[in-house]
Amino acid sequence: MPRWEAGAEERLAQAAYELYIERGFDHVTVAEIAERARLTKRTFFRYFADKREVLFSGAAAFQESVVAAVISAPDGVAPIDAVVVALAAVGTGLTELGEGARQRKRLIDTSTVLQEREMIKMAGLTTSISDGLELRGIPEATARLTAEAGVTVFKTAFERWADREGSVEFAPLVHEALDELRAAIRSDDMDVRAGPANHREY
Amino acid sequence: MPRWEAGAEERLAQAAYELYIERGFDHVTVAEIAERARLTKRTFFRYFADKREVLFSGAAAFQESVVAAVISAPDGVAPIDAVVVALAAVGTGLTELGEGARQRKRLIDTSTVLQEREMIKMAGLTTSISDGLELRGIPEATARLTAEAGVTVFKTAFERWADREGSVEFAPLVHEALDELRAAIRSDDMDVRAGPANHREY
């Protein structure tokens, strides 16, 4: 990379965030971002596919970290626990960035286009987690449902984290959301189905 | 509507499906669809926003039917049961169309653009179901998680239905998927948490 482009990616991202907040995502062009960063449009497109991608440049690394954690969970850990522990751990890293992560979330909430992109990234995360579970020997159907549940839990926890202010621990929000999901879909006769006490033969 | 356009929407949809199957979704233009239907591009755009929408024209009606069923479920029905019964009922209507519904699913699976659109429609369905549950007095957090779980169950059941051949009952697939989701996210100590037998005081 030529010396005059040192820190180009960070400068472009910084300029983009500033402009998106000042004018609204829909009203900012790549030319304006490049101008504010004192770089060219061509340089912008060397780092980002389009102006949306500035907000999603960390998504691939996030996904890889989650999947690596799912795959490397100790043997014998239930699939849902492997997923939720992985999402809590990687999400903790993300939320420790503090206001940057909240700002990104707020920006996404302002734009349908960005919300759609976020949805697509979350669907990619779900598929990757599911594939990771299959590598652990989990049958496909269970892997898929577990991954969907895990991502639902993550989204819920992340929204709650973003809605609060200051330093908020992320992991407890994940476990709280999982407990709530379990309670929400529990059947009225779960006691009969799930309780070994009821099946035990004396 | 002028007489010469009678059945225009159906003719356009029929032409689009034929062409998408023959050439692949990405390689068909609106002009070609209109030509095959012996109508104009302008007429096409009177019925569909773009060539993707041909595959999603039923989505709004589907969503409305599901939400209406959720809202009108009898008092005292657990939220997850209201959602799953609604999705089973409306999904039964959909799957009884038979090969048309399978063909649509297969077409969507061939194109990233269509998969993304389907995802967005499913997200809209989730939000509507959640809103419907809130109208039943369910707290927002539970409503959202229940709606997410319901849509996950529906997607799973629909994929299984589409993967089979001939006449397959849809409702049992929905209930099977819900049971599997429950099992997938059950905690190891669910027997202790959920079983009234364990909490009962003698």
Side-chain angles (χ1 to χ4, degrees):
Chain A
M1 199 178 352
R3 190 157 161 258
W4 47 270
E5 275 192 11
E9 186 174 357
E10 291 69 26
R11 280 159 60 194
L12 287 161
Q14 171 74 26
Y17 266 87
E18 286 173 15
L19 287 164
Y20 295 164
I21 291 166
E22 285 169 28
R23 300 185 198 168
F25 174 80
D26 292 338
H27 302 104
V28 176
T29 66
V30 168
E32 289 165 336
I33 296 167
E35 194 192 340
R36 166 127 358 160
R38 282 167 298 119
L39 293 163
T40 61
K41 271 176 69 172
R42 199 175 146 178
T43 303
F44 179 94
F45 287 116
R46 203 173 298 149
Y47 294 99
F48 306 105
D50 57 41
K51 69 173 186 159
R52 290 177 299 188
E53 274 307 307
V54 178
L55 290 155
F56 297 96
S57 59
F62 180 82
Q63 184 169 312
E64 278 164 31
S65 301
V66 171
V67 174
V70 167
I71 291 172
S72 65
D75 288 347
V77 170
I80 186 65
D81 293 327
V83 170
V84 160
V85 167
L87 287 165
V90 185
T92 296
L94 181 73
T95 52
E96 280 173 352
L97 299 173
E99 288 317 303
R102 283 199 180 92
Q103 202 172 57
R104 176 181 173 280
K105 166 79 167 56
R106 267 183 234 119
L107 265 174
I108 289 173
D109 288 346
T110 63
S111 156
T112 307
V113 167
L114 293 175
Q115 285 165 40
E116 292 181 0
R117 189 74 144 225
E118 176 81 346
M119 235 175 260
I120 290 160
K121 298 275 176 180
M122 285 290 154
L125 177 64
T126 307
T127 300
S128 300
I129 291 173
S130 181
D131 292 347
L133 289 172
E134 283 193 65
L135 287 176
R136 291 178 66 87
I138 308 304
E140 189 193 344
T142 304
R144 186 79 212 168
L145 288 166
T146 306
E148 294 267 9
V151 171
T152 294
V153 160
F154 176 80
K155 285 190 297 183
T156 304
F158 190 75
E159 260 167 45
R160 290 178 186 177
W161 175 83
D163 283 346
R164 300 188 190 179
E165 284 180 12
S167 170
V168 178
E169 262 194 276
F170 186 65
L173 296 176
V174 172
H175 293 290
E176 174 189 287
L178 176 59
D179 282 344
E180 288 179 24
L181 177 61
R182 282 174 172 150
I185 71 167
R186 190 172 293 161
S187 73
D188 291 338
D189 60 344
M190 187 60 99
D191 51 317
V192 178
R193 295 194 197 188
N198 297 291
H199 294 291
R200 208 171 286 150
E201 290 181 36
Y202 292 99
Chain B
M1 199 180 348
R3 191 158 160 258
W4 48 270
E5 276 192 11
E9 186 173 358
E10 292 68 27
R11 278 160 61 192
L12 287 161
Q14 172 75 25
Y17 266 87
E18 286 174 14
L19 287 164
Y20 296 163
I21 290 167
E22 284 170 28
R23 300 184 197 167
F25 175 79
D26 293 338
H27 303 104
V28 175
T29 66
V30 168
E32 288 166 336
I33 296 167
E35 194 193 339
R36 169 132 351 165
R38 281 167 299 119
L39 292 162
T40 61
K41 271 175 70 172
R42 199 175 147 176
T43 303
F44 178 94
F45 287 116
R46 202 172 299 151
Y47 294 100
F48 305 105
D50 57 41
K51 69 173 186 159
R52 291 177 298 189
E53 276 306 308
V54 178
L55 290 155
F56 297 96
S57 59
F62 180 82
Q63 183 170 312
E64 278 163 32
S65 302
V66 171
V67 174
V70 167
I71 292 172
S72 65
D75 288 349
V77 169
I80 186 64
D81 293 327
V83 171
V84 159
V85 167
L87 287 165
V90 186
T92 295
L94 181 73
T95 53
E96 279 173 353
L97 298 173
E99 287 318 301
R102 283 201 179 92
Q103 201 172 58
R104 175 181 173 281
K105 167 79 167 56
R106 267 183 233 120
L107 265 174
I108 289 173
D109 287 347
T110 64
S111 155
T112 307
V113 167
L114 293 176
Q115 284 165 38
E116 291 181 0
R117 188 75 143 225
E118 176 80 347
M119 235 175 260
I120 290 158
K121 298 274 175 179
M122 284 289 153
L125 177 63
T126 306
T127 301
S128 299
I129 291 174
S130 180
D131 292 347
L133 288 172
E134 284 193 65
L135 286 177
R136 291 178 66 86
I138 308 304
E140 190 193 344
T142 304
R144 187 81 211 166
L145 288 166
T146 306
E148 292 267 9
V151 171
T152 294
V153 160
F154 176 79
K155 285 191 296 184
T156 304
F158 190 75
E159 261 168 45
R160 290 177 187 177
W161 176 82
D163 282 346
R164 300 189 191 179
E165 285 180 11
S167 170
V168 178
E169 261 195 277
F170 186 65
L173 296 175
V174 172
H175 293 289
E176 175 190 286
L178 176 59
D179 283 343
E180 288 179 25
L181 177 62
R182 283 173 171 150
I185 71 167
R186 189 172 293 161
S187 73
D188 291 340
D189 60 345
M190 187 59 98
D191 50 318
V192 177
R193 295 192 197 191
N198 298 289
H199 294 289
R200 206 171 286 149
E201 289 180 37
Y202 291 99

